[in-house]
Structures are given as C-alpha cells and as structure tokens.
Amino acid sequence: TADASHHHADVAAWDLIGDALAPNGIPGDMLAEALGPINARIAQSAADTGWMTVTIDQDMSLYTAADTESQGIFEHRPSALLSESEKWRVDAMIAEAVSHLSGLKLLMLDRFDVLDIQGRADLFAWLDILATNGEIDTCLLFGTLKALPAELPATVCGHWIEAGVAGKLKAAA
C-alpha cells in the first residue's frame, strides 16, 4: 500500500509537470505575455498607415479586423483569406513590430511593388513617421519599378539597381 501510494504521488507530480508544460500552461502564459506588446505595436502601425488591424492569437494564427465603415462593424478574416497586397501589409507591420521590440531599428521589406499607388504612398508616409520619430534608423525597401516614385519624403533616399549594379536613377517614363 505504501509503495502504491508513493507511485501514485509520483504520477500526480508528473501530471502537474505535464500540465505546466502543455501549450496552454507555462508556454501559453509566456506567449500571451509576449503577444501583448506585439499586438499593441501592430495596432499602432495600423493606425499610422490606415491599414487593417491585425492580431496574432495564442495559437499563432493571424486575424485581421477591417472596419466596414458603412455599417460600423468589424469584419474578422483569417490571414489565409487576404489578398496578396493585404498579406504584404500584414507581414510589413509584423516585421516592424519585431524590429521595434528588439531595438534593432532596422526594417527590410521586399516586393513593395505589390502595393497599388495609394498603398505605396501610405507605406512611404508610415516609414517617414517611423524615421522622424527615431523608431527606425534604416529601412531597406525593395521593389521592381519603371522609375522611382516622383515624390519621396525627405527621410527617403532612393537607389536604382540594374543588373546587380547600383547606378544612375532612371528618369520617370
């Protein structure tokens, strides 16, 4: 009986350890603690850009909340249902949140050409806000364009790369 009682206590202790290490135990608590600042920073980026609000849930799924303005309600969509440019915007805001919270002040964004003209203007305005506020020191922004955008903020410096060599800027077509 004493031996069985001892084994029962061991099993109960291992059960407690298993529960603590389960996804909804200590790892879930740590993830929830980390996601708070990430989601807050993404919300700030959405406000700065006018882009949709994005949240990362504890199961690491992404959900968007787009205001349907005309009805004053919010539409929640999983990231799998987003368009290519919406996915790019989500990725950009997450990358900026990670950069900001890590203290790197470096942001690298490829394929910004997936955005339409207004989306690009929103992007440049957002990057200008981040640079002006000292929240980023460097952003490497890559895209395939016919020419540099006509009106870049003072905080943006454009370089033309052709055939792997930085050269003279292309004149606007």
Side-chain angles (χ1 to χ4, degrees):
T1 305
D3 214 19
S5 177
H6 177 70
H7 290 301
H8 174 73
D10 284 347
V11 168
W14 280 106
D15 247 0
L16 288 173
I17 292 170
D19 289 345
L21 296 177
N24 61 347
I26 294 170
D29 294 343
M30 291 173 66
L31 183 60
E33 189 176 314
L35 285 177
I38 292 276
N39 283 330
R41 184 64 183 187
I42 293 170
Q44 180 61 55
S45 293
D48 290 345
T49 59
W51 296 344
M52 68 184 68
T53 301
V54 179
T55 56
I56 302 174
D57 289 341
Q58 282 193 4
D59 65 358
M60 297 304 287
S61 60
L62 298 174
Y63 285 90
T64 63
D67 190 359
T68 59
E69 292 185 38
S70 63
Q71 300 168 348
I73 59 171
F74 285 92
E75 167 193 2
H76 294 276
R77 292 183 289 155
S79 59
L81 299 178
L82 299 178
S83 71
E84 185 178 10
S85 66
E86 287 172 325
K87 288 178 184 179
W88 190 93
R89 294 169 197 191
V90 168
D91 290 345
M93 290 189 292
I94 291 170
E96 192 284 325
V98 170
S99 172
H100 177 77
L101 293 172
S102 69
L104 288 177
K105 295 187 176 187
L106 169 68
L107 187 58
M108 294 192 317
L109 303 171
D110 192 11
R111 294 203 57 233
F112 84 98
D113 53 314
V114 74
L115 299 174
D116 63 11
I117 300 300
Q118 182 59 53
R120 292 176 193 178
D122 294 340
L123 171 64
F124 286 126
W126 177 46
L127 294 175
D128 188 47
I129 290 169
L130 295 173
T132 301
N133 292 339
E135 296 175 288
I136 59 170
D137 291 332
T138 303
C139 176
L140 301 175
L141 187 61
F142 301 96
T144 302
L145 305 173
K146 292 180 182 177
L148 283 176
E151 298 178 23
L152 293 173
T155 56
V156 176
C157 178
H159 299 279
W160 192 265
I161 299 174
E162 189 167 336
V165 177
K168 293 191 175 200
L169 300 178
K170 292 276 187 176

